[in-house]
Amino acid sequence: MVRIRSIVALVAAMTFVLAGCGGADDAGGESATTAASEAATADPQSPNDATELPSEDEATEQAQDLADDLADSLEEQQDAMGGGGATITVGDTTWAFDSVLCAFGPDEIGQEGAEFVLSSLQDGLQLYVSIDSFGHSVSVDDISDFQNPSVSLIADKFTASATGAPEEFVELDGKEISATSLFVDGTTDDLTPIEGELEATCP
């Protein structure tokens, strides 16, 4: 689950970067994004095709390679287009991101019903914030090690339903973003919710 969610967040971030650039040719990432989208949404093979499925280690390695390629492309775009910054504290740990990419509205994001997306990559972690047709979401994930991620925290409508937190918790004030919610830690079997806060400024 951690691997799929991380790739989906990377794909979504690349999609809004491409939309903001006016097309895939400008960002040079269409083929990688298309491949990632297909990989993240592909239907499972039937039992008759089971012999063709990669082993768990091979699948993990392929997912890591895909994430690394997407992360490299996003980091290039973040260096070129990013700015602002973000700080997120969950429990006793705080992460600061020196630059972020933001998009507002479906035209910039490239997704119908989407209102806001923020992405930032730093030190092997991805911060991803969204308000779209799936609701409000804030996550921090270790994208450098899918096998044993050091960080996998998420707050969204599903964790809100389980923890009793409000489902709408991301607040926009121009280019200032804040969020307070309860996060679930995907690196442990302990699903005790953890209080977290986000403060960000878009470029």
Side-chain angles (χ1 to χ4, degrees):
M1 181 63 70
V2 173
R3 293 196 292 266
I4 293 297
R5 192 180 82 219
S6 299
I7 290 179
V8 168
L10 284 166
V11 171
M14 180 61 79
T15 298
F16 85 71
V17 165
L18 294 177
C21 288
D25 290 340
D26 295 332
E30 180 180 24
S31 59
T33 306
T34 301
S37 298
E38 292 174 351
T41 59
D43 292 332
Q45 294 187 11
S46 67
N48 293 333
D49 296 329
T51 56
E52 299 178 11
L53 289 172
S55 67
E56 183 176 351
D57 289 342
E58 290 173 334
T60 299
E61 183 177 352
Q62 291 171 5
Q64 187 66 65
D65 289 343
L66 177 59
D68 290 344
D69 289 343
L70 287 169
D72 287 344
S73 296
L74 275 172
E75 284 178 330
E76 291 178 5
Q77 294 300 324
Q78 188 172 308
D79 289 341
M81 302 164 52
T87 300
I88 182 169
T89 300
V90 181
D92 296 328
T93 305
T94 298
W95 296 272
F97 293 82
D98 297 333
S99 178
V100 301
L101 290 167
C102 297
F104 296 84
D107 291 340
E108 288 188 13
I109 297 170
Q111 177 187 339
E112 189 67 31
E115 180 180 345
F116 172 73
V117 171
L118 176 152
S119 176
S120 182
L121 302 180
Q122 187 168 304
D123 301 328
L125 300 179
Q126 183 186 25
L127 169 66
Y128 189 75
V129 183
S130 65
I131 302 175
D132 56 24
S133 57
F134 297 101
H136 291 214
S137 176
V138 176
S139 62
V140 182
D141 287 297
D142 179 358
I143 58 173
S144 66
D145 186 352
F146 279 167
Q147 190 70 22
N148 297 290
S150 60
V151 180
S152 179
L153 295 162
I154 187 167
D156 59 13
K157 72 174 184 179
F158 302 107
T159 58
S161 177
T163 60
E167 291 188 6
E168 297 183 355
F169 54 89
V170 178
E171 298 183 5
L172 304 180
D173 183 7
K175 293 190 175 183
E176 301 295 322
I177 299 90
S178 62
T180 300
S181 190
L182 296 175
F183 288 74
V184 171
D185 187 349
T187 66
T188 176
D189 292 332
D190 183 1
L191 298 181
T192 303
I194 310 168
E195 293 185 359
E197 294 184 345
L198 166 78
E199 296 289 339
T201 301
C202 288

